[in-house]
Amino acid sequence: MKYEWKKSEKDLYLPKDAPTIVTVPKQKFFAIDGKGDPNGEDFAERTGVLYSLAYAVRMMPKSGFTPDGYYEYTVYPLEGIWENVDVLDKGLFSYTIMIRQPDFVNAEVAEKALGIIKEKKPHILLPEACFCEIEDGLSVQMMHVGSYDSEPQSFEMMRRFAKDNGLIRRTDNHREIYLSDPRKTERDRLKTVLRYCVSRY
């Protein structure tokens, strides 16, 4: 049976449209850093590199290599950790975008995926991609429905919720998980999980 993250990890990927507390475990990712407007070509190219790597892992059995513990699964959605988003000029944004990998993926499997893409679909940005583990731990999150430009309204709800529950942000960065394709979805219907790490007073 194929592993479906939308069904098996609803607490992480399908929160309500109101703030909640969640504990995010250690997760594995292909990631790449970037700067500038996410509506630009560079962001799209970096996203493409990540999806190439993600699907290289997903299709490995058809390439003649089956990683230990491999199972059928749906590729995880694109995520981003964002810095400098309070500035008016989106060209000054800093980010790390990433795609989560199943638990069976280790450094060896990641390196093999890099090798596959280097041979079959080389890209000038490929050397900038990396395999890493991140543990967000205690966090506040909610589902934001609507334009990315209207996210400050949801972040204000999260700020009030955190304050009312004795929580403070551990970093100025925040995570976004993109559940909708902006090329195919109306702006007011976009679904994005917003999340940031917190600690208790």
Side-chain angles (χ1 to χ4, degrees), residues 157-170:
M157 293 173 61
M158 294 167 68
R159 185 194 67 78
R160 293 197 300 265
F161 174 85
K163 182 179 180 181
D164 292 344
N165 286 273
L167 303 168
I168 56 174
R169 292 183 68 159
R170 286 191 274 126

Side-chain angles (χ1 to χ4, degrees), residues 107-185:
E108 178 186 359
V109 174
E111 191 63 32
K112 189 168 186 66
L114 285 163
I116 290 172
I117 299 305
K118 186 176 181 180
E119 178 180 345
K120 294 186 176 182
K121 195 177 180 181
H123 195 288
I124 191 172
L125 294 174
L126 186 61
E128 297 186 32
C130 68
F131 177 68
C132 61
E133 292 185 328
I134 300 174
E135 184 174 0
D136 284 351
L138 188 67
S139 302
V140 170
Q141 69 176 14
M142 69 176 286
M143 181 72 76
H144 173 77
V145 181
S147 164
Y148 302 131
D149 291 335
S150 66
E151 288 179 0
Q153 300 170 22
S154 292
F155 279 118
E156 176 59 21
M157 293 173 61
M158 294 167 68
R159 185 194 67 78
R160 293 197 300 265
F161 174 85
K163 182 179 180 181
D164 292 344
N165 286 273
L167 303 168
I168 56 174
R169 292 183 68 159
R170 286 191 274 126
T171 173
D172 291 334
N173 301 342
H174 73 269
R175 180 181 295 272
E176 299 184 1
I177 304 174
Y178 306 103
L179 303 182
S180 306
D181 185 340
R183 298 168 300 178
K184 303 176 182 178
T185 309

Side-chain angles (χ1 to χ4, degrees), residues 36-44 82 90 93 95 148-149 182 187:
D37 190 337
N39 297 305
E41 183 64 26
D42 186 67
F43 184 88
W82 292 87
K90 292 182 179 181
F93 284 5
Y95 59 81
Y148 302 131
D149 291 335
R187 293 180 65 187

Side-chain angles (χ1 to χ4, degrees), residues 63-128:
S63 300
F65 174 75
T66 302
D68 290 341
Y70 181 91
Y71 50 84
E72 292 286 323
Y73 66 96
T74 300
V75 170
Y76 283 89
L78 182 71
E79 307 187 27
I81 296 177
W82 292 87
E83 305 174 21
N84 298 338
V85 294
D86 292 331
V87 298
L88 295 177
D89 184 355
K90 292 182 179 181
L92 299 177
F93 284 5
S94 297
Y95 59 81
T96 301
I97 49 174
M98 58 193 71
I99 296 178
R100 186 178 164 193
Q101 298 303 296
D103 291 340
F104 67 79
V105 178
N106 55 25
E108 178 186 359
V109 174
E111 191 63 32
K112 189 168 186 66
L114 285 163
I116 290 172
I117 299 305
K118 186 176 181 180
E119 178 180 345
K120 294 186 176 182
K121 195 177 180 181
H123 195 288
I124 191 172
L125 294 174
L126 186 61
E128 297 186 32

